[in-house]
Amino acid sequence: MKLGVSTYSLFQALKSGEMDIMAVIDWIADQGGEHVEIVPLGYDLPGNFELADRIREKAESRGIEISNYAIGANFLTDSEEAYQKEIERVKGEVDLAARLGVKKMRHDVAQSTDRSIANFNKQLERMAEACRQIADYALTYGITTSVENHGYFVQHSDRVQALIQAVDRPNFRTTLDVGNFMCADENSVAAVKNNISYASMVHIKDFYLRPSHQNPGQGWFQTLQGNYLRGAIVGHGDIDMREVLRVIKDSGYDGYISLEFEGMEECKTGTLIGLQNIKRLWEDMK
């Protein structure tokens, strides 16, 4: 297991201008992170190959790996022309991933206001074909692409599996986010058990959970079934994090684990405590 941090965890500091991406890489290395996951929020990376080179060189100089490049995408477009254009755009992001030196890349797949299983089944082949084309292109660089369980439409563990099986490419997997299953009202422990064998990358995230009839007010968002979630420091929330990590460890997964912090606390504090908690819980299971 290699523990590191998604740059998204420091989004507060990136957005405010307190830190730039180079300072974020330095900070992660200083905290003992073994890798950095590149999520281009808070800095302008897509299409910027010069910055990609600088990021790669910075990580190398600090002795940490770049684990994954994670971007957005939506293949449920209004026209065939837009569909092909989106596929080509994501292929361009694969070129940038290769420039970063990564062997793993996550791209989103779809957004829809109709989140029913009927619509998912209807759109499955369209989504799968786009993912196939991108995975085949990524294979020329030796890159494994993946879908993350987020965005409501492709969030349930079974839907993620259905897409992976429909794509049917050995280099198309899932970036498994242990917290995001809660957005689809799925128990994190059960969902991780369901999908860990498909994971090319693991995100560790925590949430506070409140039922739909107990609106906690500002700072919370709703799940598919109207329950309430708020980002938490890993180990402080309502996920059974010790059991989640035990499932991951017992599965034999030995790849990258990336901390994602999206709580209301100051981001460096929240990220550091989360890192310490993951290390402690993982080592306690020896």
Side-chain angles (χ1 to χ4, degrees):
M1 185 271 283
K2 293 184 179 180
L3 179 59
V5 178
S6 165
T7 62
Y8 174 60
S9 299
L10 283 301
F11 178 66
Q12 289 177 12
L14 285 162
K15 185 178 180 182
S16 70
E18 175 192 348
M19 303 173 81
D20 63 12
I21 183 58
M22 301 304 165
V24 166
I25 294 171
D26 275 330
W27 186 89
I28 293 169
D30 289 344
Q31 311 317 310
E34 298 176 90
H35 67 88
V36 56
E37 180 181 16
I38 300 298
V39 181
L41 293 172
Y43 52 102
D44 187 18
L45 182 56
N48 190 340
F49 286 85
E50 180 182 353
L51 180 56
D53 289 341
R54 289 174 54 213
I55 289 171
R56 186 189 68 250
E57 291 162 3
K58 180 67 170 180
E60 288 173 353
S61 75
R62 292 307 312 268
I64 64 174
E65 300 176 35
I66 302 177
S67 54
N68 191 43
Y69 179 48
I71 65 158
N74 180 20
F75 302 116
L76 299 189
T77 57
D78 293 333
S79 68
E80 182 63 24
E81 180 182 2
Y83 177 73
Q84 294 299 332
K85 185 176 181 180
E86 182 71 341
I87 291 171
E88 292 306 311
R89 182 189 69 81
V90 176
K91 286 181 180 178
E93 295 279 39
V94 173
D95 295 334
L96 192 143
R99 195 72 168 253
L100 284 167
V102 302
K103 292 301 180 183
K104 299 182 189 301
M105 175 181 162
R106 183 220 81 188
H107 62 78
D108 289 335
V109 174
Q111 301 171 20
S112 178
T113 55
D114 181 355
R115 297 161 178 165
S116 67
I117 188 63
N119 191 42
F120 175 82
N121 289 334
K122 177 182 176 181
Q123 303 292 350
L124 180 57
E125 178 52 31
R126 183 175 183 82
M127 295 187 293
E129 177 56 25
C131 294
R132 279 187 212 110
Q133 291 187 35
I134 294 160
D136 289 346
Y137 183 75
L139 188 61
T140 65
Y141 290 111
I143 291 174
T144 294
T145 55
S146 63
V147 58
E148 186 172 346
N149 51 304
H150 75 176
Y152 294 107
F153 192 58
V154 190
Q155 191 141 18
H156 313 71
S157 59
D158 286 349
R159 292 192 187 189
V160 170
Q161 282 191 40
L163 179 62
I164 292 170
Q165 291 161 9
V167 173
D168 193 24
R169 294 294 188 270
N171 68 317
F172 183 74
R173 310 278 287 171
T174 184
T175 290
L176 188 156
D177 188 304
V178 307
N180 281 348
F181 292 113
M182 294 176 73
C183 303
D185 301 282
E186 196 169 5
N187 176 271
S188 289
V189 173
V192 171
K193 286 180 179 179
N194 216 20
N195 277 20
I196 187 62
S197 63
Y198 298 90
S200 60
M201 181 83 186
V202 171
H203 286 173
I204 302 295
K205 178 191 295 174
D206 209 345
F207 283 120
Y208 297 109
L209 172 67
R210 297 294 181 271
S212 60
H213 60 275
Q214 293 180 11
N215 185 347
Q218 187 175 353
W220 298 69
F221 68 95
Q222 289 186 280
T223 70
L224 279 171
Q225 299 303 321
N227 296 307
Y228 291 92
L229 296 177
R230 178 164 75 81
I233 293 172
V234 170
H236 288 192
D238 292 318
I239 293 177
D240 186 350
M241 197 59 67
R242 184 181 298 273
E243 182 64 8
V244 162
L245 290 172
R246 187 195 65 77
V247 170
I248 294 168
K249 193 170 189 177
D250 287 355
S251 76
Y253 178 85
D254 63 353
Y256 297 113
I257 289 181
S258 185
L259 170 66
E260 276 199 344
F261 169 72
E262 57 182 48
M264 296 176 71
E265 296 86 352
E266 193 278 325
C267 62
K268 297 189 298 299
T269 299
T271 301
L272 180 56
I273 295 171
L275 272 175
Q276 293 169 342
N277 282 340
I278 294 170
K279 288 179 183 178
R280 176 175 54 82
L281 292 171
W282 192 271
E283 290 169 1
D284 282 351
M285 290 182 285
K286 286 181 179 178

